[in-house]
Amino acid sequence: MALTSTSTSAATPLLNGQVIGVTYHAIATVRDRLLAASDLTFHQSVALKAVADGLAPARAVDRMSATLKIGESEAYALLGELADAGLLDGARTSLTDKGDKLHRGFTDAVAQLAERLYGDLPAVDRETAARALAHVTARANAELDAQ
């Protein structure tokens, strides 16, 4: 029996919180396994990326606060944890060789994971999904700002 467009759309759920949540948890579980090999938490990986991107500590804190929905003191503490682990220089403005090696390894592993998970999806589908998720994120951030 051939599927009609009606039966196909009935089998495919609309984008909603449950679909996003299930997807997030599946991907986050895989990501966290990659992080475990590095002895980093997700929050620490975001902090490491901010410094790797060349952001000064205050700008890195701004990015972490916005991305992770954490306070400034918690973001500065993350930078401190990375410095204490020998991954950032004393001024917390750049990665040490150890931090750079760890960051590159994790970044490469994530890129390979992304390729396995959605690299073969058509670009138009990935663009549409990215636009939809960007709108949802903006609306959720607006809700947070309003509270």
Side-chain angles (χ1 to χ4, degrees), residues 2-115:
L3 294 176
T4 65
S5 62
T6 303
S7 63
T8 300
S9 63
T12 303
L14 295 175
L15 182 65
N16 63 35
Q18 182 178 9
V19 170
I20 293 170
V22 168
T23 303
Y24 165 78
H25 285 290
I27 293 170
T29 299
V30 176
R31 177 209 62 215
D32 289 347
R33 288 181 184 166
L34 292 175
L35 281 168
S38 304
D39 271 345
L40 288 175
T41 66
F42 175 65
H43 283 62
Q44 289 169 333
S45 74
V46 172
L48 198 64
K49 169 89 169 92
V51 176
D53 286 347
L55 298 180
R59 297 282 310 220
V61 164
D62 288 345
R63 180 189 286 178
M64 288 183 284
S65 296
T67 302
L68 300 171
K69 310 301 184 227
I70 61 175
E72 282 187 10
S73 61
E74 188 176 350
Y76 276 110
L78 287 167
L79 293 176
E81 291 169 11
L82 296 176
D84 291 346
L87 303 176
L88 302 182
D89 68 357
R92 301 176 185 169
T93 57
S94 64
L95 303 181
T96 61
D97 288 343
K98 179 181 174 183
D100 184 59
K101 182 178 177 183
L102 188 66
H103 177 259
R104 286 178 193 258
F106 179 68
T107 300
D108 290 346
V110 168
Q112 292 170 13
L113 172 63
E115 182 62 29

